[in-house]
Amino acid sequence: MASTVNPNSEINVTYEDQSKINRFAAHNSKMEEVREELKSKEKELANIEDALKEMDLLSFMDDGFQIMEGEVLVQFTAEEAMEWVTRKKDELLKDVRSMKDEVDRIKEEMDKLKAELYSKFGRSNINLESDD
């Protein structure tokens, strides 16, 4: 994402304009970070949902389950394992919702800044579009 003003233009860039450009760039960077983390959480959530399905099929096992907690395998009874995985799923769902809300909030602010900057500088004089 580039946020530069065309050097051949005669438009005066004020401190306030530069602050808006900087805020836009910071929001854009934050948006990329949140989206990457969101992808990771969504993958983890999919893994948890797969684990729940597998555990449901194997719930008849008397010796329970081993679950990786960090770098340690922890032995759980079938009931404890289901509770742990369900709790983990709920936490991930909450995180995913929160991150999606944050993405929406950042996008809304970026759209507002983009509109203000494009109205002053024009689309051909400033580039606020992502490179992807």
Side-chain angles (χ1 to χ4, degrees):
M1 190 280 324
S3 60
T4 58
V5 176
N6 185 343
N8 298 327
S9 72
E10 295 294 323
I11 298 173
N12 184 28
V13 179
T14 65
Y15 176 78
E16 182 181 340
D17 297 332
Q18 189 60 54
S19 292
K20 287 179 183 179
I21 292 167
N22 293 346
R23 277 197 341 256
F24 183 88
H27 285 321
N28 191 55
S29 182
K30 178 69 175 173
M31 175 81 84
E32 290 176 23
E33 289 175 24
V34 172
R35 282 183 173 159
E36 283 300 313
E37 189 176 347
L38 179 58
K39 274 200 283 190
S40 174
K41 292 286 185 182
E42 286 174 332
K43 183 179 178 186
E44 192 176 347
L45 182 59
N47 290 341
I48 288 286
E49 289 171 345
D50 289 345
L52 275 169
K53 289 175 191 170
E54 291 290 322
M55 290 172 68
D56 214 19
L57 293 173
L58 300 172
S59 62
F60 62 88
M61 294 176 55
D62 289 334
D63 54 342
F65 296 92
Q66 289 185 339
I67 296 178
M68 184 70 85
E69 178 67 62
E71 295 182 14
V72 178
L73 277 174
V74 180
Q75 183 71 33
F76 289 100
T77 65
E79 184 179 321
E80 291 170 333
M82 285 296 258
E83 288 174 11
W84 185 91
V85 173
T86 301
R87 187 172 54 252
K88 186 73 171 172
K89 178 183 174 185
D90 291 343
E91 290 171 10
L92 286 168
L93 283 169
K94 182 180 173 186
D95 290 347
V96 165
R97 277 192 301 269
S98 175
M99 287 178 186
K100 285 182 177 181
D101 289 345
E102 185 174 4
V103 165
D104 291 343
R105 183 189 58 73
I106 292 170
K107 183 171 180 354
E108 186 177 305
E109 177 67 19
M110 288 174 68
D111 289 345
K112 179 182 169 194
L113 289 167
K114 190 185 292 189
E116 291 172 9
L117 291 165
Y118 278 152
S119 72
K120 177 167 183 179
F121 297 109
R123 289 186 180 270
S124 61
N125 292 321
I126 188 168
N127 180 8
L128 299 172
E129 300 304 319
S130 296
D131 292 335
D132 45 53

